[in-house]
Amino acid sequence: KVRFNRVSVRFFPPGLALEGVRFVYAKDGTRIETQAGELGVSVDFNVFGGHKTRIREIFLHEAWVTIDIPKSESSGEHPWDQIQNELAKLPVTIDALSITDSRIESMGLSVDISSLRTTIGEKEIHFSGEVKDLAYEKIEHHVDLLRLEASLTRDYLLFDNWTLLQKRSRVQGSGKLKFWAEVEKMEFEGPFKTDLYVADVKEFLTLDPVHLDGGVLAAKGTASWSKARGPLASIDFDMNDLRSNVIHAKRIEGKIRTDASRVVMEQYHFENGTDRMDLLRPAVIWNQSTKRLFPDGLKVQTEKLDLQNALRFLGDTLKPLQGLVTGEIDFYLDRFDMKFLPKAGAKLENFGL
């Protein structure tokens, strides 16, 4: 059932548009309801060539779309084949679908579409556009803005490029998702880079007892995932003006490696004024199984490390303590305690209260 206020005819490209549209489709438990400022089609001059009428593009503007689809048992048919079979049943051939300034809600998922163009082919479906405020009812956080250009085939989903903007931070990347229709076999791999305001991390990840108050992280690397082995990543990073309750740093650079249960710091260099600190051996900085930071401690080489900075985590109790430490030191962090163990040969300068 379709209702509309007005029809306009277009000549270049040829087509027509319905304005002030209300469209309702209901069949076999499926219900699609649309209210749109404009719903229309454009056609080529060879519109009647071939076995079906060919529509160059269906466009939807300033729309609110709700889609309710009943749950059904899997037919065992590959989703790509289902899509192509449904397209083949249509009385027309559709080359592209364009949506602008619209909102779509379906099965707990909601998204605002600034612009999204989908080009439909027998071997590939291509997506290009920008969406905002992407949310799913079972996930607490939402995505502020996502730009992407991607292609879907029967065997893989290829991300030519994507950009995620979240608060003040940005992540960019590309990649390939293989076996997208089978969770047990699904595999993803691709490069990425990010500019992250570290204070925003607390919006998505709890790192108690560590509190991140400021700083900018620039990082790049590669990431992969499969259900069998979990997430893997290798990341080179450079952080400026870090402020936290653990330490302040003018600059930190290093390399991180992750697996399914751990985040491992492989290289680390710290600078803050005349302070210097370097990691002497790789260290686990987060263990997902035990939910612990630095479970095995850190072994570092320091040069004129300021005690007030190094002991910041312990709060105001030791704040009056002053001194500069040079030498090899072991750090151990518990939930409410930090052990600071200098090795033989380490020296303390300008010690006092």
Side-chain angles (χ1 to χ4, degrees):
K1 182 167 62 173
V2 181
R3 295 179 181 176
F4 55 92
N5 297 331
R6 190 171 129 185
V7 178
S8 61
V9 178
R10 300 181 177 182
F11 296 97
F12 299 103
L16 59 86
L18 306 179
E19 299 177 10
V21 179
R22 189 172 189 273
F23 167 82
V24 177
Y25 170 86
K27 185 176 181 181
D28 299 329
T30 298
R31 181 179 177 85
I32 302 174
E33 185 170 351
T34 301
Q35 297 183 55
E38 192 173 45
L39 170 65
V41 298
S42 62
V43 298
D44 288 321
F45 288 104
N46 62 343
V47 59
F48 299 112
H51 299 292
K52 294 182 180 180
T53 301
R54 178 173 293 277
I55 295 178
R56 177 181 179 180
E57 183 178 63
I58 295 178
F59 55 89
L60 188 65
H61 180 60
E62 293 182 346
W64 188 302
V65 183
T66 58
I67 304 172
D68 294 315
I69 302 175
K71 293 182 179 180
S72 60
E73 295 183 3
S74 174
S75 65
E77 186 178 21
H78 194 286
W80 176 264
D81 297 331
Q82 292 178 333
I83 293 170
Q84 293 300 325
N85 289 338
E86 291 300 318
L87 290 172
K89 293 177 185 178
L90 296 175
V92 297
T93 298
I94 302 170
D95 290 341
L97 172 65
S98 180
I99 303 174
T100 56
D101 299 329
S102 299
R103 183 173 182 83
I104 295 179
E105 297 179 350
S106 178
M107 298 180 290
L109 181 71
S110 63
V111 61
D112 290 335
I113 298 176
S114 298
S115 63
L116 180 64
R117 179 176 171 81
T118 304
T119 305
I120 304 167
E122 293 182 1
K123 301 293 184 182
E124 179 180 281
I125 298 176
H126 183 264
F127 306 90
S128 179
E130 177 181 293
V131 301
K132 299 182 294 185
D133 199 21
L134 176 62
Y136 183 54
E137 63 183 9
K138 295 183 179 181
I139 299 176
E140 180 181 357
H141 304 291
H142 68 271
V143 173
D144 287 347
L145 189 145
L146 175 65
R147 299 188 185 106
L148 63 86
E149 187 165 344
S151 300
L152 180 68
T153 71
R154 193 180 194 278
D155 297 322
Y156 60 82
L157 174 58
L158 179 66
F159 295 95
D160 296 312
N161 60 74
W162 57 268
T163 300
L164 173 67
L165 300 179
Q166 196 71 19
K167 295 179 76 67
R168 297 168 291 178
S169 301
R170 176 178 62 183
V171 184
Q172 296 174 285
S174 59
K176 190 178 205 178
L177 179 64
K178 296 190 288 187
F179 311 115
W180 58 270
E182 303 174 75
V183 175
E184 298 298 325
K185 294 182 178 179
M186 198 178 292
E187 296 179 5
F188 174 82
E189 185 173 6
F192 70 92
K193 62 180 180 179
T194 181
D195 296 302
L196 174 69
Y197 282 80
V198 296
D200 294 343
V201 171
K202 62 187 177 185
E203 298 284 336
F204 309 98
L205 185 64
T206 300
L207 294 175
D208 285 339
V210 174
H211 301 146
L212 301 173
D213 301 313
V216 180
L217 172 70
K220 62 180 181 179
T222 59
S224 64
W225 177 89
S226 71
K227 187 173 182 180
R229 67 173 184 266
L232 300 175
S234 179
I235 306 165
D236 294 303
F237 70 90
D238 194 326
M239 188 183 302
N240 294 301
D241 300 317
L242 173 66
R243 299 187 305 280
S244 74
N245 67 329
V246 174
I247 204 165
H248 285 191
K250 191 64 178 177
R251 184 169 181 236
I252 297 175
E253 59 181 5
K255 184 172 184 177
I256 290 175
R257 172 177 51 84
T258 72
D259 56 32
S261 61
R262 303 181 308 161
V263 180
V264 179
M265 183 83 72
E266 295 189 329
Q267 298 175 19
Y268 175 90
H269 174 73
F270 160 95
E271 297 178 7
N272 193 59
T274 59
D275 300 21
R276 298 289 185 273
M277 183 163 56
D278 289 281
L279 189 66
L280 293 179
R281 68 184 184 194
V284 177
I285 59 176
W286 175 255
N287 187 306
Q288 181 64 22
S289 301
T290 61
K291 301 293 192 294
R292 285 189 60 194
L293 281 162
F294 308 114
D296 304 315
L298 295 172
K299 184 177 289 291
V300 299
Q301 179 69 38
T302 67
E303 180 181 345
K304 298 186 182 300
L305 180 64
D306 189 337
L307 283 178
Q308 288 189 333
N309 198 10
L311 300 177
R312 186 179 302 275
F313 177 74
L314 300 180
D316 293 336
T317 303
L318 297 178
K319 192 172 183 179
L321 195 62
Q322 299 179 18
L324 303 175
V325 180
T326 298
E328 186 177 322
I329 301 174
D330 289 345
F331 287 98
Y332 293 95
L333 176 66
D334 293 325
R335 181 168 178 81
F336 300 107
D337 192 19
M338 175 184 281
K339 296 179 181 179
F340 179 81
L341 305 176
K343 294 295 186 181
K347 62 180 182 179
L348 179 62
E349 302 175 76
N350 302 329
F351 181 70
L353 295 174

